[in-house]
Amino acid sequence: MTALLSDTADLAAERQNVIQLVGVTKSYKSVDVLKPVNLDIRDGEFLTILGPSGSGKTTILRMIGGFTPPSSGRILLRGTDIAQVPIFKRPFNTVFQDYALFPHMTVARNVGYGLRIRKTPPAEIKSRVQAVLETVNLADKAGRYPAELSGGQRQRVALARAIVCEPQVILLDEPLAALDAELRRSMQEFLKDLQRRIRTTFVFITHDQEEAISMSDRIAVMDHGNLVQVGTPEEIYYKPKSEFVAKFFGENNILPAAAKGQASGIESPLGRHSASSAHQGELLLAIRPESFRLHDGSEMRADERMAKARLDAVTFLGATTQLSLAIGGLGGAAGEHRVKVRMPTALSIRNLAVGSDVMLRWSEADVSFLPKG
Ligand SMILES: Nc1ncnc2c1ncn2[C@@H]1O[C@H](COP(=O)(O)OP(=O)(O)O)[C@@H](O)[C@H]1O
Ligand SMILES: [Mg+2]
């Protein structure tokens, strides 16, 4: 019975993961461009690989696609190693940044290309191309050539060409990087909506944090060839596991902190927080500007903390207002730290006097402690 149960559990786990990278590395000559990467990509998810230029994103995508082999480690497709499977036999399609459309072919012929290669009957090609062009809102452009299309339309042709073959996974290497800001935003929405409709796994690369947060089910963050954290946008944003991730996404307050043992907790310029056994020695405290509020005299919840701060500046930003504050040093020592607080704009906040003291309130749950250095 136990064996049967664990078999069933294994099957469920295999169904969940469409691709698994197990200890995958890549070196060129003696340079390690990718440290061992372990990453599970789940069936039907929109997974984004995010990181600065040169961090190894394209290298990961090229290895999944079969364009280059790993130096070590294994890539599994639904539990089976695909090291020996050539590019054209992998059930993936890739959308490149430059679209790579055939200039001498019409939109319809570009989109049907993969089906012709697979010797799909002409009548079926015609109907599938038609259906996919409707999906990407290009049904009326079937007879045009790439040069007669806008950048966004060419991008959608490239997407249509990738989805028409009904791949199990679509690999997208910075497909929006060449578009101007406005078109880029509308293509982000289009792409996310398309992924929901066709329910295909998307592995999407970008170096743009906001793009990653707004589009992804999960984000894999890369830094110098290391996969540093994988999680939902909320986890990555509010529960960073390193200083790099804490600083990479939007504004954050990073302050020194020191663990004094599980009983006495963690000391910081924001006072004392509870520690777990994982916290030791010098640390960094991270808390988002929007995680603070001003003390209004109401009763504190058990998980709440409070600290006095001096208001240095109030900046009106439209819907939100930013407060810049000064707080004391670690353990009450001299040496001031700055904290940024952001809250919905209200008259009571805009009227706060610069130079006055305010009481900040926040929840322990909104604080992350990170290893230092
Ligand atoms: N064919 C290659 N030969 C040598 N170095 C390479 C090669 N391809 C990529 N690299 C190096 O690997 C690192 C990661 O590259 P890449 O995966 O393209 O990064 P990203 O896509 O995150 O910008 C970079 O330092 C890059 O110079
Ligand atoms: Mg790249």
Side-chain angles (χ1 to χ4, degrees):
M1 191 60 191
T2 318
L4 187 64
L5 274 178
S6 65
D7 278 358
T8 323
D10 284 347
L11 278 179
E14 264 170 42
R15 255 201 304 280
Q16 247 191 355
N17 292 324
V18 50
I19 294 171
Q20 288 170 284
L21 305 188
V22 186
V24 169
T25 69
K26 185 72 183 178
S27 316
Y28 289 105
K29 301 218 169 78
S30 57
V31 184
D32 299 337
V33 301
L34 212 62
K35 314 289 160 40
V37 168
N38 294 296
L39 175 64
D40 293 345
I41 301 172
R42 297 171 188 163
D43 218 349
E45 79 173 330
F46 194 117
L47 179 100
T48 296
I49 302 175
L50 172 72
S53 178
S55 58
K57 306 179 297 293
T58 295
T59 303
I60 293 182
L61 211 68
R62 286 174 52 81
M63 290 191 296
I64 295 173
F67 299 97
T68 185
S71 300
S72 63
R74 299 189 307 148
I75 300 178
L76 310 179
L77 170 65
R78 298 188 194 284
T80 304
D81 196 319
I82 53 170
Q84 303 306 322
V85 181
I87 298 174
F88 65 94
K89 288 212 170 138
R90 297 190 184 197
F92 312 144
N93 273 100
T94 306
V95 178
F96 298 98
Q97 185 179 330
D98 61 0
Y99 319 145
L101 300 178
F102 302 114
H104 60 286
M105 288 186 199
T106 62
V107 166
R109 286 190 64 78
N110 260 288
V111 174
Y113 181 78
L115 297 175
R116 288 199 297 283
I117 296 280
R118 285 170 174 75
K119 306 257 188 295
T120 309
E124 187 185 333
I125 294 180
K126 197 165 178 234
S127 66
R128 279 171 70 176
V129 166
Q130 179 64 26
V132 168
L133 286 178
E134 275 164 27
T135 305
V136 299
N137 300 330
L138 284 175
D140 58 336
K141 305 286 188 294
R144 296 249 186 123
Y145 287 88
E148 300 166 338
L149 301 174
S150 69
Q153 289 168 341
R154 265 179 242 156
Q155 182 57 262
R156 281 183 279 145
V157 175
L159 278 169
R161 196 174 58 176
I163 64 182
V164 77
C165 296
E166 298 178 357
Q168 295 187 32
V169 178
I170 297 183
L171 307 170
L172 305 106
D173 193 353
E174 308 227 20
L176 309 182
L179 306 177
D180 65 55
E182 199 175 329
L183 184 55
R184 189 170 176 145
R185 267 191 297 279
S186 79
M187 277 304 292
Q188 286 171 359
E189 279 173 34
F190 178 83
L191 204 59
K192 183 70 201 148
D193 177 62
L194 175 72
Q195 193 266 341
R196 281 197 202 102
R197 278 185 285 148
I198 65 176
R199 294 161 190 267
T200 303
T201 309
F202 276 37
V203 182
F204 177 86
I205 289 186
T206 184
H207 62 264
D208 181 320
Q209 295 89 329
E210 276 180 41
E211 185 163 285
I213 287 188
S214 67
M215 296 180 75
S216 319
D217 295 317
R218 291 192 308 148
I219 300 172
V221 186
M222 298 292 302
D223 176 28
H224 287 95
N226 292 293
L227 175 55
V228 290
Q229 192 169 345
V230 185
T232 63
E234 290 80 4
E235 286 165 350
I236 298 282
Y237 187 81
Y238 284 114
K239 290 287 157 196
K241 289 187 175 155
S242 62
E243 188 178 2
F244 175 80
V245 176
K247 286 182 170 168
F248 195 49
F249 294 84
E251 271 207 75
N252 215 340
N253 293 295
I254 315 268
L255 298 165
K260 302 283 179 188
Q262 230 171 311
S264 27
I266 300 172
E267 263 179 21
S268 80
L270 286 173
R272 214 172 274 281
H273 291 78
S274 355
S276 81
S277 54
H279 298 126
Q280 266 161 23
E282 285 189 66
L283 299 168
L284 294 173
L285 177 160
I287 181 167
R288 292 285 174 188
E290 69 272 23
S291 296
F292 290 103
R293 63 189 188 106
L294 297 182
H295 181 48
D296 55 2
S298 64
E299 204 176 319
M300 303 271 288
R301 293 193 317 263
D303 65 312
E304 279 187 301
R305 294 289 171 269
M306 188 156 68
K308 188 164 84 175
R310 191 190 67 229
L311 185 62
D312 280 348
V314 179
T315 312
F316 172 58
L317 299 171
T320 61
T321 294
Q322 181 175 282
L323 310 182
S324 301
L325 303 121
I327 50 172
L330 186 57
E336 289 194 338
H337 294 279
R338 328 230 119 246
V339 173
K340 282 207 161 82
V341 171
R342 192 175 281 204
M343 41 190 64
T345 295
L347 205 56
S348 58
I349 292 163
R350 294 189 63 189
N351 287 343
L352 286 172
V354 167
S356 64
D357 283 340
V358 298
M359 294 303 282
L360 292 178
R361 251 168 97 161
W362 66 96
S363 164
E364 279 217 24
D366 293 330
V367 175
S368 301
F369 291 103
L370 320 169
K372 192 179 174 196

